[in-house]
Amino acid sequence: MKRTKGTKKVAWGVALVALAALAVWVSQRWNVWFHNPEENAYVSAPQPHRVLLTFGDDDGLSSRNVSWQCDSVVKPSWLELATDSDTVRVDAQGEVFVSRSGRAAYYMARLRQLAPDTRYGYRVVTGGQASPWYGFNTYGTEGGFSFIYVGDVQDTIGGAANRFLREAFSRQPQSEFLVCGGDLTERPTDQHWAETFRDLDSIGQHVPLLCVTGNHDYLKGVIMRLERRFPLTLSYFLDSKTGDNMVYTMRYGPAQFFLLDSNREFFYLTTQRSWLKRQLEASTAKWKIVVLHHPLFSIKGNNNLIQRWMFDDLIEDYGVDLVLQGHEHAYARMTRHDDNGQPVTPVYTVSHCSPKNYRIQFDDRFDKFGISSRYYQTVSISADTLTLAAYEVYHHTLYDSLRIVKQKPQPRIEDYGRDIPEYMEFTPEPGSKKDHAYARRIDDYKRRHPERHK
């Protein structure tokens, strides 16, 4: 049957309206997708600065890397490593990175075959100028360990993250290193990198940092681009990355960490999937921990489906115990359950320590939520038990906790988080329909789960 002229006009009208709506949506999202903030012109300081301690090769107990910046041309550089009985010199490699608005020389020294249970002092030297002396500890090969995890930091210029991190380590002195779920830096500009190093001051020179990439670390575009200064700073990626994928695995005593770059496009993620499968198949670690930026189970709706499709079956099939994630600027924990309703690994957590908070969906698959605050977590491993504890940063109060106990035929999960009231403080702005709709969503969640709000 032939279309009438009136039917064709309606079809064209619908198409034009749809096209106009698409154009409006794209124009509203254009800056989010493609705009990169300007980078202020800068000159790198002529003395060693931005010193950072990280891990080195895949043996986290006996290797460290130290990176730093100095001037804008490569000069003879080394690191002096001291113990109570000796001081040795370790040569450094240098490379000049040219950004959109400046240039800086980056250096990295690799420390290998470090002795266990030893206190080391070090300083870096470039062009005859030396940094202050710093120090770090190595730990024993037996028994367990503990570390601190934070999600996105993305601190504002002159922000408070350094205070929060210093307080966290002072209250958790047993912590041996710091893990970050990406977006440690707000944007890839020198002024924001400077703020990141202020956040890490007195911490990043003494405690190894392990960090994955976040979307804020990339320059936006049709194909996103990660500047080379990112792996020049977090230098374990220089030796571990697969193609353009910033991936890394590290064995630390009874645990193995697997770092993924979940920000990449589909064809990059397929390469990461193959890498992750090989690493998990080869792993003999008792505990397996995956760290990535995008939550495999989103707390904002049906997001990150490609990342879940790429990685989650491997995480389940190869016995991963814990998945640490960021990106969605709230706190959440999800525990899988078997056919009998019993909680099983893996445990998935989302966390952040940023001044920004996002609205979330309150999916009933999750066991615990937290909004309108910042959080950090401690992960402690001892013998057959992994203990996860989350703290709210302003008062350092315990917010959530559980234990994973290794036993046959499957691990036992002891959930203590339900005994702690959830942090759901939210005040809508007067006249804000969006805020009031979110407040109603929170009230609905509280009605469904009154036991979480004592």
Side-chain angles (χ1 to χ4, degrees), residues 213-257:
T213 54
N215 58 296
H216 279 249
D217 300 312
Y218 275 83
L219 287 171
K220 300 176 185 179
V222 177
I223 301 296
M224 297 190 303
R225 181 167 62 88
L226 187 71
E227 294 177 315
R228 186 162 171 80
R229 63 177 148 189
F230 187 89
L232 287 173
T233 301
L234 297 162
S235 55
Y236 46 85
F237 284 125
L238 292 175
D239 297 327
S240 70
K241 65 179 184 174
T242 300
D244 288 330
N245 295 286
M246 296 295 155
V247 293
Y248 174 67
T249 186
M250 178 189 76
R251 182 71 180 260
Y252 197 89
Q256 187 164 353
F257 293 78

Side-chain angles (χ1 to χ4, degrees), residues 189-203:
T189 66
D190 185 75
Q191 59 265 33
H192 283 113
W193 273 109
E195 180 59 31
T196 295
F197 275 91
R198 282 191 288 272
D199 291 341
L200 295 172
D201 183 55
S202 78
I203 300 168

Side-chain angles (χ1 to χ4, degrees), residues 3 9 98 106 119 186 242 269 351 354 356 411 431 436 450:
R3 291 185 178 181
K9 288 181 179 179
V98 180
Y106 288 73
R119 177 68 178 174
E186 168 62 16
T242 300
L269 296 181
S351 190
S354 167
K356 297 185 291 184
H436 282 283

Side-chain angles (χ1 to χ4, degrees), residues 65-229:
N65 286 356
V66 177
S67 62
W68 68 96
Q69 293 181 39
C70 184
D71 215 331
S72 58
V73 294
V74 173
K75 300 177 180 179
S77 299
W78 61 87
L79 179 146
E80 295 175 358
L81 185 67
T83 62
D84 290 340
S85 59
D86 193 18
T87 299
V88 297
R89 173 171 150 170
V90 180
D91 290 335
Q93 296 175 319
E95 177 180 329
V96 173
F97 170 76
V98 180
S99 74
R100 292 173 290 161
S101 299
R103 58 188 290 144
Y106 288 73
Y107 298 87
M108 187 262 286
R110 294 178 172 89
L111 312 180
R112 299 296 182 264
Q113 297 181 332
L114 298 172
D117 288 319
T118 302
R119 177 68 178 174
Y120 287 95
Y122 74 94
R123 68 175 182 176
V124 300
V125 181
T126 296
Q129 296 199 64
S131 73
W133 281 94
Y134 305 109
F136 66 89
N137 294 323
T138 58
Y139 297 89
T141 57
E142 302 296 330
F145 65 93
S146 178
F147 65 91
I148 288 178
Y149 172 74
V150 293
D152 306 30
V153 175
Q154 293 179 242
D155 208 8
T156 55
I157 302 299
N162 180 256
R163 176 169 63 86
F164 295 148
L165 290 173
R166 284 189 288 106
E167 288 174 353
F169 274 96
S170 69
R171 291 171 180 264
Q172 309 292 336
Q174 78 283 2
S175 302
E176 298 180 13
F177 53 95
L178 173 65
V179 179
C180 178
D183 284 359
L184 181 62
T185 300
E186 168 62 16
R187 285 296 177 193
T189 66
D190 185 75
Q191 59 265 33
H192 283 113
W193 273 109
E195 180 59 31
T196 295
F197 275 91
R198 282 191 288 272
D199 291 341
L200 295 172
D201 183 55
S202 78
I203 300 168
Q205 299 80 34
H206 304 278
V207 178
L209 172 66
L210 194 62
C211 184
V212 298
T213 54
N215 58 296
H216 279 249
D217 300 312
Y218 275 83
L219 287 171
K220 300 176 185 179
V222 177
I223 301 296
M224 297 190 303
R225 181 167 62 88
L226 187 71
E227 294 177 315
R228 186 162 171 80
R229 63 177 148 189

Side-chain angles (χ1 to χ4, degrees), residues 335-344 409-411:
T335 307
R336 282 293 187 87
H337 293 79
D338 62 16
D339 294 337
N340 298 317
Q342 296 301 310
V344 295
Q410 66 184 24

